[in-house]
């Protein structure tokens, strides 16, 4: 079995990236409320692309934090595909969740399913882009746990994005706290998924 070590600085940066991406997505969701049709479309796209890019960046920074005594490199087409999956799922789910004055359970479940499946797909496609000499063995219980965390994080994140759209007192504080929750949940999903691989 190979000895694996972790770079705590890169782990910290990966968590910070997920927090910043979550905050920007929440802020973009708030800007949709008072914007006109064109501007609202821009903020929906900006929020989705930023969230997807942030989740993807967090994932690959987290993978770079893993140090193994062997040669590793990334397959470029697979890596780019994982980025596109993350951005597409994030943008589509935000557009579904942010419509209308009320977030129905049906819309929340649909948006959650799209975002969580996109995050999980991005994660494991991204893992498959990591080219190493020996094959990876998977712990399927941890894979299932990482998927459950992704569903919980996606649902909570979309609900928070919708709920915190309106301006109020303490809105920045609430948005910061929500971004911390989302960022930690995204990181938990990533590092649970990473621990599933041997």
């Amino acid at each position: 079995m190979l000895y694996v070590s972790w770079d705590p600085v890169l782990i910290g940066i990966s968590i910070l990236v997920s927090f910043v991406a979550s905050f920007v997505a929440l802020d973009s969701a708030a800007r949709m409320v008072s914007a006109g049709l064109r501007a609202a479309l821009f903020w929906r796209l900006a929020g989705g692309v930023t969230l997807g890019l942030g989740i993807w960046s967090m994932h690959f920074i987290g993978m770079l934090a893993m140090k193994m005594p062997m040669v590793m490199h990334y397959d470029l087409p697979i890596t780019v595909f994982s980025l596109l999956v993350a951005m597409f799922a994030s943008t589509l789910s935000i557009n579904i969740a942010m419509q209308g004055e009320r977030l129905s359970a049906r819309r929340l479940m649909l948006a959650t399913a799209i975002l969580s499946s996109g995050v999980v797909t991005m994660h494991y496609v991204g893992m498959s882009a990591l080219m190493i000499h020996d094959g990876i063995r998977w712990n399927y219980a941890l894979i299932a746990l990482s998927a459950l965390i992704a569903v919980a994080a996606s649902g909570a994140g979309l609900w928070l994005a919708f709920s915190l759209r309106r301006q109020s007192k303490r809105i920045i504080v609430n948005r910061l706290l929500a971004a911390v929750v989302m960022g930690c949940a995204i990181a938990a999903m990533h590092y649970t998924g990473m621990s599933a691989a041997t």
Side-chain angles (χ1 to χ4, degrees):
M1 186 170 174
L2 289 171
Y3 175 73
V4 177
S5 62
W6 295 87
D7 185 328
V9 174
L10 286 177
I11 289 174
I13 291 172
S14 72
I15 294 171
L16 180 62
V17 166
S18 65
F19 162 75
V20 171
S22 299
F23 183 82
V24 170
L26 291 171
D27 189 60
S28 297
R31 293 176 188 274
M32 294 173 204
V33 175
S34 57
L37 285 176
R38 264 190 198 173
L41 177 61
F42 169 79
W43 287 115
R44 284 182 182 181
L45 291 173
V49 169
T50 302
L51 182 60
L53 184 59
I55 292 170
W56 180 87
S57 299
M58 181 270 158
H59 167 76
F60 276 92
I61 293 170
M63 284 179 44
L64 290 173
M66 183 178 64
K67 305 295 183 186
M68 291 193 294
M70 62 192 304
V71 176
M72 298 183 295
H73 68 277
Y74 294 91
D75 183 271
L76 183 59
I78 296 175
T79 301
V80 171
F81 177 69
S82 70
L83 171 60
L84 296 176
V85 167
M87 290 195 299
F88 177 76
S90 298
T91 303
L92 182 58
S93 61
I94 283 179
N95 275 277
I96 291 170
M98 293 301 120
Q99 292 174 8
E101 293 297 312
R102 182 176 160 273
L103 179 59
S104 67
R106 182 180 175 186
R107 272 208 346 269
L108 178 59
M109 286 191 297
L110 176 60
T112 297
I114 291 169
L115 182 56
S116 58
S117 61
V119 169
V120 170
T121 301
M122 178 279 304
H123 177 86
Y124 290 105
V125 168
M127 287 286 290
S128 72
L130 178 61
M131 308 299 289
I132 57 178
H133 291 307
D134 296 318
I136 297 175
R137 292 192 304 274
W138 296 98
N139 180 324
Y140 293 104
L142 288 176
I143 289 175
L145 178 59
S146 72
L148 287 174
I149 293 171
V151 171
S154 299
L158 291 167
W159 181 81
L160 287 167
F162 187 87
S163 301
L164 296 177
R165 296 186 309 168
R166 304 290 181 188
Q167 294 296 327
S168 65
K169 295 176 182 176
R170 290 176 47 88
I171 189 65
I172 296 298
V173 174
N174 290 340
R175 218 171 274 159
L176 284 169
L177 291 173
V180 168
V181 171
M182 286 175 63
C184 289
I186 292 166
M189 180 271 153
H190 168 78
Y191 287 108
T192 301
M194 288 288 289
S195 67
T198 304

